[in-house]
Amino acid sequence: MSKLFGRLQQGMKSFIKRISTKELSEKDLKPIIDELVDLMVQNEVGISTAELIGVNLRNELVTLEHTRFKDARPRVKEALRRSILSVLDINTDTQFDIISEIKKVKAEGRPYIICMLGINGTGKTTTMAKLTKLFQKNKFSVVFAAADTYRAGSIQQLGKHAEKLGVRMIAHDYGGDPAAVAIDAIDHAESKGIDIVIIDTAGRMQNNVNLIRELEKVIRLSEPDLKIFIGDALAGNDVIRQATQFNDDIGIDGIVMTKIDSDAKGGAVISVAHATQKPILFLGNGQSYDHLIKFDPEFIVSQVIPN
Ligand SMILES: Nc1nc2c(ncn2[C@@H]2O[C@H](COP(=O)(O)OP(=O)(O)OP(=O)(O)O)[C@@H](O)[C@H]2O)c(=O)[nH]1
Ligand SMILES: [Mg+2]
C-alpha cells in the first residue's frame, strides 16, 4: 500500500526533517511550505486542495513553539496530520454507514438502489461485485441490472460475477435501452423482495454529451439512493476533472477510488473529496472481491506521513 504514496511520503520525510531541526520564523516558513505545496501538486493532489493544506499547515505551525533541545518532529507531524485531515474531513462530516442506510430503506419496504458511474475501465463492474460480497456478508440480497448494453462483452462479464456471487442479473440485448434494464431490475427486486439493486453502466467520458444524456435518463427513471462515482487512482488529476464533471451533470453521492494497490502517485485520493465535496466511501486495493476497504481518513494520513 505504501507504494501508492511512495514519492509523496519520501518528500514529506525531508520536509519534516527540515522544519523540525531549526527554529523558523513565520517568514522562513513560507518558502518551505510553498515547496511542500509543490510536492503535493507534483504528486497529483489538486492545486486548491494542496494550497488549503499549506494554509492550514502554516496556521498550525506558527502556533507551535520550538523548545530548544527537544525534538520538534512529533509536533510537526501532528500539525501535518491535522492539516491533511482538514481536507479529508468532508468524509467524516457526511460519513454515512452504507449498511445502516440500506437497513433504513429496507424498513420502508423498498429496495435500495445503487448506480455505478465513471469513465471506461475504472472498476465499476468489479466494484459492484465487491460491494455485493460485502452486502451478502451483511445478509442482504442483491440483483444486478446489466445496464451497460454498450461495450462488447460487458453483459457476460457481469454475468460471471452474478454466477460466482449467486445473484440474479437482469439483462436485455446489447444496444438496448439501459434505463429499461434498470427499471426491469427494480421491478424484479420489488416483486421478489430483494434488498438491493445495483445498476452497472457503460463507461463514458465525462464530455461525451450523448452518453451523459443517456445516463441522465437512467438516473431519472431509476431514482437511485446512491450514485457512486468510481475513480481510478492511476488517472491522477484527471480523476478530479471527471468527478467534478459527473457531479455537475449527473450528481454524485459518494466516491470509490480504485487501484490504490498500484504505484499511482496517489494525490487524487487526497483531493477528490475536497474538490467535489462528496465523501470517499471505499477504496479498491486489488482485483478480488475482498479487496475493498471502508474509507478512513486516518488511514490515508498514516500512509502519507512517514513514521
Ligand atoms: N489492481 C486493481 N485492479 C482493479 C481494481 N478495481 C478494478 N480493477 C481492474 O480494472 C480492470 C477494469 O475493471 P472493470 O470493473 O471492468 O472496470 P469498468 O469501469 O467496469 O470498465 P468498463 O465497463 O469498460 O467501463 C479489471 O481488470 C479489474 O480487475 C483495484 O482496486 N485494483
Ligand atoms: Mg464495466
Side-chain angles (χ1 to χ4, degrees), residues 184-256:
D184 267 5
I186 295 167
D187 286 347
H188 176 83
E190 283 170 348
S191 67
K192 303 284 182 201
I194 291 170
D195 303 322
I196 302 163
V197 179
I198 313 182
I199 305 168
D200 192 17
T201 65
R204 62 203 71 212
M205 294 308 289
Q206 69 275 17
N207 52 10
N208 185 325
V209 177
N210 288 337
L211 285 177
I212 293 292
R213 288 238 172 86
E214 178 193 82
L215 202 52
E216 277 169 357
K217 184 179 169 194
V218 173
I219 301 296
R220 193 170 66 244
L221 296 182
S222 64
E223 298 182 324
D225 296 280
L226 190 67
K227 299 183 287 297
I228 308 181
F229 172 81
I230 312 295
D232 179 339
L234 282 164
N237 253 316
D238 207 38
V239 174
I240 310 299
R241 281 187 283 276
Q242 296 161 17
T244 310
Q245 196 67 46
F246 269 88
N247 192 31
D248 290 349
D249 291 345
I250 309 282
I252 65 173
D253 302 306
I255 299 162
V256 174

Side-chain angles (χ1 to χ4, degrees), residues 11-12 14-40 54 57-58 61 76 80:
M12 289 279 174
S14 65
F15 168 80
I16 293 165
K17 193 171 169 204
R18 269 176 79 190
I19 211 155
S20 303
T21 40
K22 61 175 178 175
E23 197 150 343
L24 298 163
S25 70
E26 208 175 329
K27 200 168 105 268
D28 303 327
L29 224 45
K30 192 180 179 309
I32 303 180
I33 289 180
D34 286 349
E35 256 179 59
L36 183 76
V37 170
D38 288 348
L39 170 81
M40 288 190 281
L57 185 62
R58 182 157 53 244
L61 288 175
V76 170
L80 205 44

Side-chain angles (χ1 to χ4, degrees), residues 46-280:
I47 292 174
S48 57
T49 307
E51 278 172 351
L52 182 59
I53 294 173
V55 169
N56 291 341
L57 185 62
R58 182 157 53 244
N59 292 340
E60 294 272 352
L61 288 175
V62 290
T63 58
L64 189 153
E65 276 179 37
H66 286 218
T67 318
R68 273 170 56 134
F69 309 122
K70 272 206 181 147
D71 185 6
R73 231 167 284 211
R75 285 170 296 155
V76 170
K77 278 187 193 172
E78 178 56 18
L80 205 44
R81 190 183 81 89
R82 285 220 288 265
S83 309
I84 298 173
L85 277 179
S86 68
V87 302
L88 293 170
D89 243 359
I90 293 103
N91 306 286
T92 41
D93 277 0
T94 51
Q95 187 138 55
F96 74 125
D97 178 39
I98 193 165
I99 300 300
S100 51
E101 288 297 309
I102 296 167
K103 280 186 186 150
K104 263 189 245 163
V105 168
K106 187 179 159 101
E108 292 169 18
R110 63 177 182 90
Y112 189 84
I113 301 163
I114 300 174
C115 186
M116 312 299 288
L117 305 170
I119 73 151
N120 312 63
T122 55
K124 294 176 294 300
T125 307
T126 310
T127 303
M128 72 188 263
K130 291 177 180 179
L131 285 169
T132 300
K133 182 86 189 289
L134 172 75
F135 296 152
Q136 289 176 330
K137 279 187 194 156
N138 285 274
K139 308 273 183 278
F140 294 121
S141 52
V142 177
V143 60
F144 287 163
D148 178 356
T149 59
Y150 186 77
R151 180 174 61 76
S154 66
I155 302 175
Q156 282 88 339
Q157 183 196 2
L158 187 63
K160 275 189 197 148
H161 287 301
E163 205 180 297
K164 267 198 223 163
L165 293 157
V167 309
R168 180 85 188 267
M169 173 179 79
I170 304 298
H172 294 180
D173 289 335
Y174 285 101
D177 179 3
V181 182
I183 294 304
D184 267 5
I186 295 167
D187 286 347
H188 176 83
E190 283 170 348
S191 67
K192 303 284 182 201
I194 291 170
D195 303 322
I196 302 163
V197 179
I198 313 182
I199 305 168
D200 192 17
T201 65
R204 62 203 71 212
M205 294 308 289
Q206 69 275 17
N207 52 10
N208 185 325
V209 177
N210 288 337
L211 285 177
I212 293 292
R213 288 238 172 86
E214 178 193 82
L215 202 52
E216 277 169 357
K217 184 179 169 194
V218 173
I219 301 296
R220 193 170 66 244
L221 296 182
S222 64
E223 298 182 324
D225 296 280
L226 190 67
K227 299 183 287 297
I228 308 181
F229 172 81
I230 312 295
D232 179 339
L234 282 164
N237 253 316
D238 207 38
V239 174
I240 310 299
R241 281 187 283 276
Q242 296 161 17
T244 310
Q245 196 67 46
F246 269 88
N247 192 31
D248 290 349
D249 291 345
I250 309 282
I252 65 173
D253 302 306
I255 299 162
V256 174
M257 289 298 293
T258 61
K259 309 185 195 178
I260 65 154
D261 51 311
S262 68
D263 61 357
K265 289 175 183 166
V269 179
I270 296 174
S271 47
V272 71
H274 178 240
T276 55
Q277 296 291 305
K278 301 292 165 165
I280 299 181

